[in-house]
Amino acid sequence: MPTNSTSMPPKLATDICLTDRQMSLSVNSTEGVLIGAIIPILVLFGISGNILNLTVLLAPNLRTRSNQLLACLAVADIVSLIVILPHSMAHYEIFETALWFRRFYGKYKYQIIAMTNWSIATATWLVFVICLERLIIIKYPLSVRKQAKLFTPLNVVSIIVLTTFLLTSYNHVSHECAEKLFCNGTQYHVACVSIDADRWFRNEPNPNSQFMRSLVRYAPQVNAIFVVLIPVVLVIIFNVMLILTLRQRQKLFAPSKSIRGDSQYGQQAKTEHKVTITVTAIVTCFTITQFAICTILVVLGKALNFVLFCLSSASFRQRLLMQTKQGILRKSTRTVSMVTSSTVVVDSLADSRKRSRTQMEMAERRTSASSLMVGGNRADKTHRANSSQSMVGERMPLKEFRRGTSFV
């Protein structure tokens, strides 16, 4: 059963050369400017912003249920932005003419599209779950504890990831591609045909089964219903309900009401109110950009989450600044400690060298002193021995005189 996961082997290279228009990977110049010039900037900004969002949302003291879901949304957006980059790179001449990039992009183009659709579908349903979770907390705060054990973020995210993968997996088998080398092997070109096409390569009959052709034909419609239409409509409905609920809850925080800001319930209500405002801003931006046909608006919506966090949440701004200062202080402290440790090591080496020199000098002094003492003792002994021998030599004639004969 042929699929697009493994392209057909390339034909032998011919001496026919294709034109620049035939080798172009972009549809027109406008698409080249938008996707090739603007999207990379948005992608880099979006990835950096979502990474900063994760550093705040995944802080040890901020790992609430809502923050965990928002962190999963940030991860899905990062994946979406990363897999969009190859489509943007294809609009640059340096990659468009590179043989290695054309091979990679031609062989895995529809796998990249499948990954893009999967991550976008996951982000869409995560936005719906986040909006629903906020609405339940605001309107029915007592029911949250009952559902917390069953609908944990891990269970919800796992179900969403698995379901959206099944809904978007048809992209992996939707096309069959044939590759060929032109211009004596210097030009690489790929042509792809849909699995449900009536005619195949070289005008041959389609060799795929009827089941595969039906799957590829109807799967995009199912995907449009369950990945785009239903979640977006539900997000719009729940977002409107959130906005109306927020307007009603504004009265609770008026100074004349009985719920004061210094009470524990009042502080918790204010916190939930602020989080709901942030979620509402994110959901509204998502809804506007999700209906956009242009890819650049979809990317813009995923890149604006960091801006929305900063504009709608004062606690997020304070936490981000505090973590930034701590990171800078930690880095400077580490640098100072490294310099100090190196200085201590140098000083310790110098001290050890001085100590070794002092010990060597003392050892030499002791050795010389001991040698002098040994020499003095030897000289004294020799002097005593000589003196004793001289005394014996002087006495010997007297003994001999006593032992000899008498004289007159």
Side-chain angles (χ1 to χ4, degrees), residues 43 46-54 71-84 119 123 302 305:
V43 167
I47 292 175
S48 303
N50 281 292
I51 290 175
L52 292 176
N53 291 341
L54 289 175
C72 293
L73 177 62
V75 172
D77 289 340
I78 290 175
V79 174
S80 301
L81 295 172
I82 290 176
V83 296
I84 285 174
S119 57
K302 297 185 177 300
N305 286 343

Side-chain angles (χ1 to χ4, degrees), residues 139-158:
K139 295 184 69 68
Y140 311 103
L142 298 179
S143 63
V144 176
R145 294 182 179 179
K146 298 179 181 179
Q147 300 176 2
K149 296 182 179 180
L150 180 61
F151 298 101
T152 61
L154 179 61
N155 295 337
V156 173
V157 173
S158 300

Side-chain angles (χ1 to χ4, degrees), residues 64-67 69 130-145 147 242 245 249 265 268-269 271-273 275-276:
T64 61
R65 180 187 178 92
S66 300
N67 289 347
L69 293 174
I130 291 170
C131 185
L132 178 62
E133 190 257 351
R134 279 291 96 193
L135 184 63
I136 292 175
I137 288 179
I138 293 297
K139 295 184 69 68
Y140 311 103
L142 298 179
S143 63
V144 176
R145 294 182 179 179
Q147 300 176 2
L242 267 179
T245 305
R249 286 172 62 88
Y265 178 79
Q268 183 178 0
T271 303
E272 298 294 343
H273 183 78
V275 174
T276 305

Side-chain angles (χ1 to χ4, degrees), residues 83 112-122 164 168 170-171 223 227:
V83 296
I112 296 173
I113 293 175
M115 288 289 297
T116 306
N117 293 337
W118 183 21
S119 57
I120 291 176
T122 302
T164 52
T168 59
Y170 72 94
N171 291 280
N223 179 76
V227 174

Side-chain angles (χ1 to χ4, degrees), residues 296-367:
I296 191 171
L297 293 181
V298 178
V299 177
L300 178 63
K302 297 185 177 300
L304 285 179
N305 286 343
F306 174 71
V307 179
L308 295 175
F309 269 112
C310 291
L311 293 178
S312 59
S313 177
S315 60
F316 178 85
R317 295 193 298 269
Q318 295 174 358
R319 184 70 185 181
L320 181 61
L321 291 175
M322 183 175 65
Q323 289 189 355
T324 304
K325 293 179 181 179
Q326 290 178 354
I328 296 174
L329 181 61
R330 192 181 298 112
K331 186 176 180 179
S332 60
T333 305
R334 190 176 302 171
T335 304
V336 172
S337 63
M338 290 177 62
V339 174
T340 306
S341 61
S342 60
T343 306
V344 170
V345 169
V346 172
D347 293 341
S348 62
L349 289 174
D351 293 339
S352 62
R353 290 176 180 176
K354 290 180 180 179
R355 290 175 183 176
S356 62
R357 290 177 182 175
T358 305
Q359 291 176 357
M360 290 177 64
E361 291 177 357
M362 293 177 65
E364 290 177 355
R365 292 177 181 176
R366 291 175 181 174
T367 304

